[in-house]
Amino acid sequence: MKTIVKIFTGVSLIGLIFACNKEDKLNYTLQNYDTFVPGAIDEWITKNLTDPYNIEVVYRYQRNMHDINKNISPADESKVIPQMDIVKKGFLEVYNKIGGATFIKTYTPKQFALFGSGDYDPDGSVKGGTADGGRRITLYGLNGLNENNPNSVVGNLQVIHHEFTHILNQTRFIPVDFEKVCVGDYYSNWTAQENDEATARALGFISPYARKNIGEDFAETLSHLIVGGQLYYDQYAYQSGEIAYPKFKQKETIVRDYMIKYFNIDVTQLQMEFQRVMEEQYKSQSYSFLTAVTNKTITETIDMDIRSSWGQENVLSPKQIELFTPILDGFGSYQVKGIQLKMLSASKMTLSIPFGNNTNTWNALYDLDIIKIDNESYKIKLSAVQGADAGYGYGNFSYVISDVKPLLNYLESTSFKFSWSINGVQTPLNYLKFVNIQDLANPQFGLTGKVSIIKY
């Protein structure tokens, strides 16, 4: 019986061999139904990204580039150039200018993949982007981008700078001291109800997502410092409470040292360049001096006393020296003890000039209206209605007003621009430390004052 089985098996194999060798013609023609022809989008990508940065952009839908278990919509092609122009101006060119060509060519991802909708997770969270192996950044939610809205642009760039930080961290590890700042407070289930914003920030995290792990915390810290800006970061830290505040500042210090030590990049320079791009290209007002006044990010009082050390160490406008010198020389027999601007709001400030003798001090006060003409220019006028404090009466004393009147007349004679600078010059050393009320009719003129950021 075994022999019979073997015989039939052999015959079957022989038949199979002949069957495999038989050539049957199939009535089927293989065709490529993809009729795509590169066009204007691809030309723009080649010219602006591929040739200068060796970056490829995948915008035609490829399911293998996202979680295959999720349904994610393709990118709207009308959004591709605006999106990548934002990447170019707000990310690549910023790092290229501050870090140099070698840095950007070495570390920048070589591929961007774009998808139309967000990448939603079962826990209700949605990914704005991912960084894959140091080579690719995937961006989701492209179809919701509004390139004409600076807030939309900032949100988009925060994702990009966050993901790029992950790429840098794959090259140079996060310092161990960073984790120690909030040791024991990381929470992998970061979307849980108990990890709301108030809880996270009270523990020293810039966002609830930062609490997920040390990598996300580091990436959120650096990206918020660059994209949100120093004023936003300091305000967020201050409003998080006296216990959390030093944790925010410790993380900032570690992040800044990391970027200098491993990549020779000054975060302040990144902040300044990013701010310039947002203001010039996207008309953002988020980083302006008057926004800081509105958000109570700075202390109310601006020191305008040019006799102070900062006034002696810096080149000030000849107009400010001309107007302030008669005031600072004294009112009659009384000495002037300072000049201050008290920023009450983005539309109101008070000029305060303390004067007196060795035993008494009085304040000459003048309320001023800040009248917005456009995002770049403002008029400053003496308020029609002054306050009831005695200081407003002192301001009208003949021996006081005679010295102050030329300053008030000058303020009403032209229009001004408020900028973070000393006499129009901004450097990393004076960034966010001085405000210049620059004369738009005579750019070499203006009034500079020393600013203090709120802190504990």
Side-chain angles (χ1 to χ4, degrees):
M1 186 66 180
K2 291 180 180 179
T3 303
I4 294 173
V5 171
K6 290 180 180 180
I7 292 173
F8 276 99
T9 301
V11 173
S12 298
L13 288 172
I14 293 171
L16 182 60
I17 291 171
F18 279 107
C20 290
N21 288 333
K22 184 177 179 180
E23 294 183 2
D24 292 330
K25 294 182 178 181
L26 299 177
N27 187 22
Y28 183 79
T29 302
L30 293 176
Q31 295 182 15
N32 181 6
Y33 289 97
D34 189 348
T35 59
F36 172 75
V37 176
I41 294 175
D42 306 276
E43 292 175 4
W44 187 94
I45 290 171
T46 299
K47 178 181 178 181
N48 291 277
L49 297 172
T50 307
D51 288 347
Y53 298 105
N54 192 29
I55 290 176
E56 175 191 18
V57 180
V58 180
Y59 64 90
R60 300 176 66 222
Y61 183 77
Q62 292 196 31
R63 192 175 187 87
N64 65 306
M65 285 191 172
H66 68 74
D67 188 338
I68 61 173
N69 296 313
K70 296 179 181 179
N71 292 319
I72 298 176
S73 67
D76 179 347
E77 290 192 2
S78 69
K79 296 289 187 180
V80 174
I81 291 179
Q83 168 65 89
M84 297 315 298
D85 192 50
I86 289 171
V87 170
K88 177 175 176 283
K89 292 174 179 174
F91 166 59
L92 294 172
E93 291 180 353
V94 170
Y95 266 107
N96 188 53
K97 182 173 181 178
I98 305 305
T102 300
F103 171 87
I104 203 68
K105 290 178 180 178
T106 301
Y107 298 107
T108 203
K110 300 308 175 187
Q111 186 182 72
F112 280 81
L114 309 180
F115 292 96
S117 61
D119 181 2
Y120 291 87
D121 287 325
D123 59 11
S125 63
V126 56
K127 293 188 184 74
T130 57
D132 303 301
R135 182 179 185 275
R136 177 198 305 157
I137 285 182
T138 302
L139 297 177
Y140 301 99
L142 181 66
N143 296 349
L145 173 67
N146 181 354
E147 64 274 18
N148 297 314
N149 183 334
N151 291 329
S152 180
V153 173
V154 162
N156 186 269
L157 283 167
Q158 198 275 325
V159 172
I160 295 165
H161 281 269
H162 175 106
E163 298 305 329
F164 182 59
T165 303
H166 286 315
I167 291 175
L168 295 180
N169 292 159
Q170 292 172 18
T171 305
R172 294 289 186 269
F173 293 140
I174 297 171
V176 293
D177 286 345
F178 187 86
E179 185 176 10
K180 294 178 182 178
V181 177
C182 288
V183 64
D185 289 329
Y186 289 100
Y187 196 59
S188 60
N189 187 22
W190 71 275
T191 59
Q193 185 176 0
E194 61 269 20
N195 185 41
D196 57 15
E197 182 179 6
T199 299
R201 72 186 301 177
L203 292 170
F205 295 95
I206 193 68
S207 69
Y209 185 51
R211 202 179 168 199
K212 182 177 181 180
N213 56 53
I214 181 177
E216 302 303 344
D217 190 13
F218 194 94
E220 283 286 272
T221 300
L222 179 55
S223 61
H224 276 82
L225 279 167
I226 297 170
V227 177
Q230 191 66 49
L231 291 174
Y232 171 84
Y233 189 88
D234 283 342
Q235 180 192 32
Y236 195 93
Y238 183 82
Q239 294 180 349
S240 297
E242 193 169 357
I243 295 176
Y245 180 82
K247 296 181 180 180
F248 281 99
K249 301 308 286 184
Q250 287 172 39
K251 289 181 182 180
E252 177 188 344
T253 298
I254 295 170
V255 166
R256 286 178 174 276
D257 290 346
Y258 170 91
M259 294 298 288
I260 281 288
K261 178 179 179 180
Y262 293 117
F263 304 107
N264 196 31
I265 288 179
D266 182 354
V267 170
T268 298
Q269 292 184 27
L270 283 178
Q271 292 172 317
M272 291 171 58
E273 181 60 17
F274 186 87
Q275 174 185 324
R276 184 193 67 78
V277 169
M278 288 303 304
E279 290 178 338
E280 294 181 4
Q281 298 292 331
Y282 302 103
K283 310 305 178 187
S284 174
Q285 293 296 304
S286 297
Y287 312 92
S288 73
F289 170 76
L290 291 180
T291 297
V293 171
T294 301
N295 293 338
K296 306 297 182 184
T297 307
I298 62 173
T299 56
E300 185 180 82
T301 301
I302 311 301
D303 179 20
M304 306 291 290
D305 191 342
I306 61 176
R307 299 170 302 184
S308 301
S309 58
W310 65 264
Q312 300 301 309
E313 295 166 357
N314 295 284
V315 178
L316 302 179
S317 159
K319 192 67 175 179
Q320 183 168 9
I321 295 172
E322 173 194 329
L323 294 169
F324 279 33
T325 299
I327 298 173
L328 293 170
D329 282 345
F331 295 149
S333 61
Y334 296 108
Q335 70 177 93
V336 169
K337 301 182 179 182
I339 301 180
Q340 303 166 345
L341 279 179
K342 294 185 180 297
M343 305 304 303
L344 306 179
S345 71
S347 61
K348 180 78 71 175
M349 62 184 179
T350 298
L351 174 63
S352 175
I353 307 175
F355 69 98
N357 49 36
N358 292 335
T359 56
N360 295 297
T361 298
W362 303 276
N363 276 309
L365 302 175
Y366 307 88
D367 285 342
L368 302 168
D369 294 330
I370 305 170
I371 304 167
K372 183 176 181 179
I373 301 174
D374 55 41
N375 287 337
E376 289 288 315
S377 58
Y378 297 82
K379 299 289 286 186
I380 299 175
K381 292 188 175 183
L382 192 67
S383 302
V385 178
Q386 296 288 304
D389 188 278
Y392 296 97
Y394 301 147
N396 282 320
F397 286 176
S398 59
Y399 56 84
V400 174
I401 194 63
S402 61
D403 287 341
V404 179
K405 190 64 174 175
L407 172 59
L408 297 177
N409 289 342
Y410 169 69
L411 291 175
E412 295 195 359
S413 69
T414 186
S415 57
F416 296 92
K417 174 184 177 180
F418 291 83
S419 66
W420 292 105
S421 66
I422 297 178
N423 198 26
V425 178
Q426 180 176 253
T427 69
L429 291 178
N430 69 34
Y431 183 56
L432 301 181
K433 295 178 182 178
F434 298 90
V435 61
N436 183 238
I437 308 173
Q438 186 176 12
D439 188 333
L440 292 178
N442 299 283
Q444 73 274 22
F445 291 169
L447 310 177
T448 293
K450 191 173 189 301
V451 179
S452 296
I453 305 297
I454 55 173
K455 60 183 179 180
Y456 287 101

